[in-house]
């Protein structure tokens, strides 16, 4: 008997001892069964094997189905080469193909494949490197660089754990890297499948794997000792002083890999696994993600092989996106296109997009993406499987421990452990600490499993717990971020067992921003399923975030939907809340009439209900809106009433908000001292509350008024503090206001370059967030800066755009201010007629709204026009009126006007003209 057959019989006897009974069915003992198993073991389709061997797919199919029971020797040799078989396995395979090996030896050979020696029966046993390998340049460079360091160190065993989700291309990458490195490892290159996730097979026992490795390095079967410890000792002894490249594919875990590692000799081990091998000491981890967009498109085009198809085609990009940029999915769709020349990429993209179950379309022959995912799922415990299915039901994109606890109905600690276990299995990614995300295709698979294994009632309860959690926590966050301490909308449903601690507005804002996508997704789910009460509550919880961050069009749409839901339910408190929130956002967009209508309606409902806290909230917003619209008396009435209610209720946040608006109103009407007093009181309350969000807004306003009074040092200090807070908290809208005021200070103090930088940043924020009122202020300030630097055309353009915005939104005070600045530009350019017209219009608006500040500037501008025209007496009269107002309000312009009047008084009588 040959040594090959003797070795195989030894393997067969050992398999029998382990309880693996031979199948006596003749087809199972045939060459057809052997070929099928070897091809599956090599992870090749029939078409891929045929292409590699240079034979027809029909030949491979006929051999595997037993239509042709034997093969020509040349065909068998080609197939053996394509399968990467080395001696002595190659000889057995070729003999079996010719029908010259007894059935028992074929059975032994097939059993040997199950435990490993066929895959590693020689020291040159790497599978072929696929020609279509695409991308992974950065990961490969990192690996090669590490190997260079290993070589320099000498005698060190390098271990690389290559991990990633199913289908991401771990084995392809390891094989490709091994081929690139093969010439550096003269001791050989051995590929050993460990079958951690092979259908119908248990993971290879380390003792059996060691036997395979010993055979690979030339130890005859009779000399392989029993027991893992003895085999490990012999294995490491045989590798001493050698440089071997060992690829351990599809490891089940670190405990399976650890006994197989060489002890010394400068070897390199590449381990692929669907688990994070965190317990594998000294291993360098390479976690493979899905392909970048361009590389995914290139892979699709390369595998599809359709003439005229380009990575730049929109349909190619869409297929890659719908495949989640996962190489396995892309390869399957590409092969479908390759074998269906009549199909188009655009047509397949449309079919994938329209499919209810996209995974069903991602299959070829006996392979599918869903089957690959199922192998990972099958390795989970029942509790982990349940959590996996329930995570797939989440309407949003990511999840933390609290949301997972709500979904799974468990405690926080158990939920976090469950998430970590799924992360370890590469079923979840962790883009930020404590936040986990499913790949789109894995999420689709989880939902499909939930639909298959869980009842509709169970799924509804899971989602109900999740919505209860988000609704409850959003209500808490919204209350902390609201302008006043009014109670949140009534929250129905079960109070979740685990909720994050939100100690103050900063925690609330951070939580709301982190969960924004999930909250909106849950809100959309509630709207789709007709849960109107949840729509009202979730929108109310989101309102402060939408008010801060926008986008305004989306915010308005969602608030309008919530208003309608409250009306349909007859929920009067809900109507009041939703209308207040709608008015707030309409004000931010510059729709002052729409904002006032919503807030007036809300105020009426609040008065009917006797809800004084909600009245105060509506009045604060209404007062601010009236101020911007130029209705200063109406604003004063609303804000004074709001402040009184907040004081009576002991509502400290509400008092700070009302005082902030009152301070701005007093400044707008020329009462700088009264405005400063209100702002300083608001600042004290905000500091006592630890409310840095409101502190920033108050400090920005104090910086503005101190700049107007000429106290530039104090103004800069206030604005710098506000700037730090805004940048720290990511508050973009207040940041724009701070930058505008800093730009003003730097302009008047001569630091034009810094002013330009501040204003450009402010303009970018305003245009990005679409805040018309603040955008007009930024344009006005940049126009003034350009005027100061002699860029008169640029100044005129900025001021013209600012004036258009103010007129569009009905901002009378803003219009007056811009008109006065535009008049200065016209005057210095010599167009006195246009300058006077602008100052006269500004004067009319200022007197209409009671803005003493803008009135004084208009009078000063008219006086300077008169002086330029030679009408000295008229100029003196107008400038004295302006001076009187500036003196009364304590503005910095007092000194400037005084100097101008003194110069006129000192001028000789002949120079004076009426």
């Amino acid at each position: 008997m040959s040594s090959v057959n003797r070795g195989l019989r030894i393997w067969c006897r050992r398999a029998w001892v382990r309880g693996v009974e031979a199948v006596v069915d003749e087809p199972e003992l045939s060459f057809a069964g052997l070929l099928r198993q070897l091809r599956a073991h090599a992870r090749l389709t029939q078409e891929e094997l045929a292409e590699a061997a240079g034979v027809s797919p029909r030949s491979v199919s006929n051999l595997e189905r037993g239509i042709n029971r034997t093969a020509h020797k040349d065909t068998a040799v080609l197939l053996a080469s394509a399968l990467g078989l080395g001696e002595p396995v190659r000889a057995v395979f070729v003999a079996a193909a010719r029908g010259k090996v007894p059935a028992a030896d074929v059975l032994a050979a097939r059993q040997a494949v199950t435990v490993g020696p066929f895959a590693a029966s020689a020291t040159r046993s790497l599978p072929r490197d696929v020609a279509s390998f695409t991308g992974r340049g950065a990961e490969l460079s990192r690996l090669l660089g590490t190997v260079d360091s290993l070589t320099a160190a000498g005698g060190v065993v390098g271990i690389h754990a290559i991990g990633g989700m199913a289908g991401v291309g771990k084995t392809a990458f390891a094989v490709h890297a091994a081929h690139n490195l093969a010439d550096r490892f003269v001791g050989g290159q051995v590929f050993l499948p460990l079958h951690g996730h092979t259908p119908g097979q248990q993971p290879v026992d380390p003792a059996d794997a060691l036997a395979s490795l010993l055979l690979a390095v030339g130890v005859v079967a009779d000399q392989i000792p029993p027991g893992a410890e003895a085999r490990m000792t012999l294995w490491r002894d045989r590798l001493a002083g050698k440089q071997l490249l060992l690829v351990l594919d599809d490891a089940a875990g670190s405990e399976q890999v650890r006994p197989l590692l060489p002890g010394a000799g400068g070897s390199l081990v590449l381990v692929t696994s669907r688990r994070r091998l965190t317990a594998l000491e000294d291993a360098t981890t390479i976690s493979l993600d899905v392909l970048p967009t361009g590389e995914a498109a290139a892979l699709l085009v390369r595998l599809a092989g359709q003439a005229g198809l380009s990575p730049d085609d929109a349909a190619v990009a869409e297929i890659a996106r719908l495949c989640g940029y996962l190489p396995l999915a892309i390869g399957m769709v590409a092969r479908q296109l390759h074998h269906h020349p009549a199909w188009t990429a655009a047509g397949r993209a449309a079919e994938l997009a329209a499919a209810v179950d996209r995974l069903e379309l991602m299959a070829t022959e006996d392979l599918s993406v869903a089957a690959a995912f199922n192998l990972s799922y099958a390795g989970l415990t029942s509790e982990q499987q349940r959590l996996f299915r329930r995570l797939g039901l989440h309407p949003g994109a990511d999840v933390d421990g609290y949301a997972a606890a709500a979904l799974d109905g468990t405690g926080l600690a158990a939920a976090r452990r469950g998430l970590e276990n799924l992360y370890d299995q590469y079923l979840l990614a962790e883009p930020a600490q404590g936040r986990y995300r499913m790949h789109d295709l894995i999420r689709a698979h989880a939902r499909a499993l939930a639909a298959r294994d869980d009842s509709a009632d169970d799924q509804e309860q899971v989602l109900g717990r999740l919505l209860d959690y988000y609704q409850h926590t959003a209500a808490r966050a919204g209350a902390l971020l609201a302008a006043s301490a009014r109670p949140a909308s009534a929250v129905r449903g079960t109070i979740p067992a685990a909720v994050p601690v939100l100690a103050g507005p900063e925690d609330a804002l951070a939580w709301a921003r982190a969960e924004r996508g999930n909250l909106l997704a849950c809100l959309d789910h509630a709207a789709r399923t007709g849960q109107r009460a949840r729509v009202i509550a979730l929108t109310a919880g989101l309102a402060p975030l939408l008010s801060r961050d926008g986008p305004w069009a989306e915010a308005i749409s969602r608030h309008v939907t919530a208003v309608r839901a409250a009306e349909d339910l007859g929920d009067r408190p809900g109507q009041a809340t939703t209308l207040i929130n709608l008015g707030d956002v309409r004000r931010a967009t510059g729709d002052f009439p729409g904002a006032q209508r919503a807030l007036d309606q809300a105020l009426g409902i609040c008065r009917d209900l006797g809800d004084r806290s909600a009245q105060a909230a509506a009045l604060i917003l209404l007062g601010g809106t009236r101020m911007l619209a130029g209705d200063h008396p109406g604003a004063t009435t609303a804000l004074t009433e709001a402040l009184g209610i907040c004081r009576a209720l002991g509502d400290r946040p509400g008092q700070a908000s009302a005082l902030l608006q009152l301070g701005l109103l007093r400044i707008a009407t020329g009462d700088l001292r009264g405005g400063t007093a209100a702002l300083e009181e608001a600042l004290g309350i905000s500091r006592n509350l630890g409310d840095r969000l409101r502190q920033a807004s108050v400090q920005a306003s104090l910086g503005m008024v101190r700049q107007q009074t000429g106290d530039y040092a104090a103004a800069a200090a206030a604005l710098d503090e506000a700037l730090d807070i805004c940048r720290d908290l990511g508050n973009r809208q207040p940041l724009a206001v701070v930058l505008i005021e800093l730009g003003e200070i730097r302009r008047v103090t001569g630091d034009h370059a810094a002013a330009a930088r501040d204003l450009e940043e402010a303009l970018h924020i305003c245009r990005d967030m679409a805040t018309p009122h603040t955008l007009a202020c930024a344009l006005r300030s940049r126009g003034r800066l350009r005027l100061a630097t002699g860029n008169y055309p640029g100044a005129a353009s900025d001021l013209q755009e600012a004036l258009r915005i103010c007129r569009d939104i009905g901002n009378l005070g803003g219009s007056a201010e811009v008109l006065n600045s535009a008049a200065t530009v016209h005057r210095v350019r010599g167009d006195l007629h246009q300058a006077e017209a602008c100052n006269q219009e500004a004067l009319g608006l200022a007197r209409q709204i009671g803005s003493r500040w803008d009135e004084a500037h208009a009078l000063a501008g008219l006086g300077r026009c008169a002086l330029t025209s030679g009408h000295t007496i008229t100029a003196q009269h107008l400038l004295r009126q302006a001076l009187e107002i500036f003196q009364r309000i304590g503005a910095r312009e007092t000194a400037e006007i005084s100097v101008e009047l003194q110069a006129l008084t000192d001028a000789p009588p002949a120079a004076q003209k009426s």
Side-chain angles (χ1 to χ4, degrees), residues 17 139 168 224 264 274 302 309 312 323 369 415 526 565 587 642 645 758 800 884:
V17 170
E139 294 90 343
V168 81
I224 297 176
R274 296 188 187 186
R302 184 175 296 175
L309 200 61
D312 297 328
C323 288
V369 174
R587 179 179 62 87
I645 293 173
D758 290 338
Q800 184 177 5
E884 181 181 344

Side-chain angles (χ1 to χ4, degrees), residues 6 35 168 226 249 506 510 662 677 681 699 705 725 732 887:
R6 185 168 58 252
L35 177 60
V168 81
D249 186 51
E506 289 182 50
L662 271 174
E681 185 179 354
Q699 287 284 45
V705 69
I725 295 173
R732 298 184 72 209
Q887 286 175 331

Side-chain angles (χ1 to χ4, degrees), residues 727 732-743 755-771 774-779 781-782:
R727 291 201 189 281
R732 298 184 72 209
Q733 187 178 6
L735 174 61
V737 174
V738 173
L739 290 166
I740 291 168
E741 295 305 326
L742 279 172
R757 287 194 298 271
D758 290 338
L759 293 174
E760 287 303 322
E761 185 179 355
L763 281 164
H764 174 75
I765 294 171
C766 293
R767 293 192 194 280
D768 186 50
M769 295 193 68
T771 52
T774 313
L775 175 59
C777 292
L779 288 165
S781 293
R782 191 174 70 172

